[in-house]
Amino acid sequence: MKSKVDSQQEESNTDNDFSEMSDTQVRRRGPPPKKIVSKNKLPNLERNVPIIIKNNNFVVRTIWTIVMILGFMAVLWAGHIYIIGLVLLINIGIFKEILGLKRNYEKELNVKYSPIINWYFFGIATFFCYGKLFQSKLSEYAFRMHMLSFILNYHNIITFMLWVAGFLMFTLSLKKGYYRYQFRMFGWTHITLILVVAQSSVMIMNIFEGIVWFILPCSLVITNDIFAYIFGVTFGKTPLIELSPKKTWEGFIGGCFSTLIASFCFAYLLQGSQYLTCPQHQLPFSPFSSLTCEIPSVFISTQRQLPFSIFGIDSIYFSDFQIHAMVFSLFTSLVSPFGGFFASGFKRGIKIKDFGDTIPGHGGITDRMDCQILTGMFSYLYLHQIVLPKAVTLGTVLGYVSQLSTNEQQELFEQLKQTLQIGQ
């Protein structure tokens, strides 16, 4: 048998033979044999690098999850105006991330005003959407501030003229050799504004009708995501959609039923807080202020007869809000996940993993909000078309009164005074 020393000598001799051979001889004999190193013989540190990185990512992700939850709770209890500020910051972050996907920084060195024009259009879109939403809330201030009254009365034409100014700036900034890039960014900017700013801004109206209408849909999206993951990891075998290979039918169905049950329980817990359920008709800037009102009937539990007896129970107590919450849960379970699938397909199309790295361990803000935007629009439409009564509010009336001339306002005042005197 050959000793270990003899084997090493033969290996060294083989290497020397290859070094002394001509190119023709090497081609005939073939390249020198490669030394194969077993993975088991790799140093422990090198073998454990992926595990160390994975553990570090898990720690960072967990820490920032806790930070986001605590920050969200602080903003939530600070008040309505601060929640609106949070929504605006999220809009800014999403717009920045999506815009950055198509930006070419080398080209923008020669097209200097392109980023400024893009953000100018973002400001115009925000002014239009938020102005429409705040119109009734600011009506009582319009009587004391003539400039504000002018802006509210001519909000649409002001918005259009501001957009025209941006259109002129864009046209004048066109530069030979960069036309295609500039027009691509122009279209990309406006599509982003429609999909992001216009849809997410309606969440603000949900906030003013009661913070609970903002919390509940957001919570249900997160709940569905958690339970879909749990059921998918535990029972998942059947792939759901090609865009997300890890998603399974078992996780999708399990998440749907779990979210349906959780929504009924969440609604029961949330409807007992006046701060969360009371609508806000003003714009208070003082943080952590209390809010009291007569609890709307939709949050009051009443006895309901069951269609059939369950273990001798013929009736239970629940509110209309709990029924609405279950409707929200069906949307967040069956439709909202497709917002995430859409985002996944988009990322695969442009070959990126995340939209950004704004949130360590989580990717970008867009990665966290892809399902929330679609849910926010549904919540707004469902709330204002089905849940809330079609009633004229004081803010709406003041908005119309502010558009009257001084003589017409005086005449309205006299008629109201006479009506009140007759009523007394």
Side-chain angles (χ1 to χ4, degrees), residues 97-112:
E97 289 176 354
I98 297 181
L99 203 65
L101 298 177
K102 288 293 183 180
R103 288 183 65 182
N104 188 316
Y105 294 92
E106 293 182 1
K107 291 184 177 180
E108 288 184 359
L109 293 175
N110 297 315
V111 188
K112 297 181 180 180

Side-chain angles (χ1 to χ4, degrees), residues 23 47 85-86 88 123 187 196 262 269 323 380 382 391 404 408 420:
D23 293 340
R47 281 189 287 136
L86 175 63
L88 179 59
V196 177
L269 296 174
I323 302 299
Y380 169 78
Y382 183 87
L404 300 176
E408 290 174 331
L420 293 173

